[in-house]
Amino acid sequence: MEEEEQPRRGPHFVGKKEELIEAKRTLITVGGRDILVLHHQGVFYALDCYCYHSGGNLQNGDIEELGSRLCITCPKHKYKISLAEGEGMFKGTDPTVKPPVAKWYTKGVKQRVHAVTETNGDVYITLSDDRCYIESDYYQGEVGKERRAKAAAQEKAS
């Protein structure tokens, strides 16, 4: 099925379950969005591929459990993003608690996540239909793409 024939929202065929499990991480473009589909601990996740903070590519980010949330770390600036909800995570302390104990807090949803389904060994994603602006949307638009390309060219030159 070609991308033009599919509705923007989906479901969009990503690949065969076993192939995606073996690959662990797959970058696909659907409806003009670059999506990272990853398999970790028996679960598929899909989220915008570029970090909400500065457009870093999440494809090679480390995955770790922070508090009770499974998160990916942006390789560019080490921002933490929960895989299931797209929340930006940070470690802080509550100054009213003595002694202060550091714990993980959420900044709210910063990264757009997309639904993943599996049928008869085929994996599909359905793009988020949340119409509110989410910070990772910036790096999926034309201005964000230009900014990413410019930053990549500067990094390559240095």
Side-chain angles (χ1 to χ4, degrees):
M1 195 176 343
E2 294 194 24
E3 186 172 320
E4 291 79 25
E5 296 173 359
Q6 299 180 34
R8 174 160 163 66
R9 198 167 164 265
H12 301 276
F13 177 73
V14 177
K16 293 291 187 183
K17 178 181 178 180
E18 294 306 317
E19 292 171 0
L20 293 169
I21 289 171
E22 186 176 326
K24 294 185 180 146
R25 298 172 191 218
T26 304
L27 175 63
I28 64 165
T29 301
V30 175
R33 289 189 94 83
D34 294 329
I35 309 295
L36 175 62
V37 178
L38 57 92
H39 183 267
H40 188 77
Q41 297 178 343
V43 179
F44 283 104
Y45 300 92
L47 63 159
D48 284 355
C49 187
Y50 305 108
C51 178
Y52 72 90
H53 167 250
S54 189
N57 190 333
L58 297 174
Q59 191 167 9
N60 295 318
D62 292 332
I63 297 176
E64 59 189 312
E65 192 168 328
L66 305 177
S68 61
R69 296 187 176 152
L70 202 53
C71 297
I72 190 163
T73 301
C74 178
K76 193 169 187 177
H77 295 114
K78 308 302 180 210
Y79 275 59
K80 316 278 190 198
I81 302 163
S82 69
L83 290 175
E85 300 87 11
E87 293 175 312
M89 303 297 293
F90 71 98
K91 195 169 199 174
T93 57
D94 182 346
T96 64
V97 175
K98 301 295 181 198
V101 177
K103 71 176 202 174
W104 289 98
Y105 294 91
T106 179
K107 299 176 192 176
V109 175
K110 303 289 186 178
Q111 196 78 17
R112 190 171 293 277
V113 296
H114 309 280
V116 182
T117 54
E118 186 254 322
T119 305
N120 299 323
D122 292 337
V123 177
Y124 300 86
I125 66 162
T126 301
L127 295 178
S128 167
D129 63 356
D130 190 344
R131 294 181 187 261
C132 71
Y133 179 80
I134 296 174
E135 289 180 47
S136 68
D137 292 344
Y138 176 80
Y139 291 100
Q140 296 290 340
E142 289 306 313
V143 174
K145 288 178 183 180
E146 290 172 16
R147 185 172 172 192
R148 282 194 338 262
K150 186 177 178 180
Q154 288 175 340
E155 286 177 20
K156 194 174 186 180
S158 55

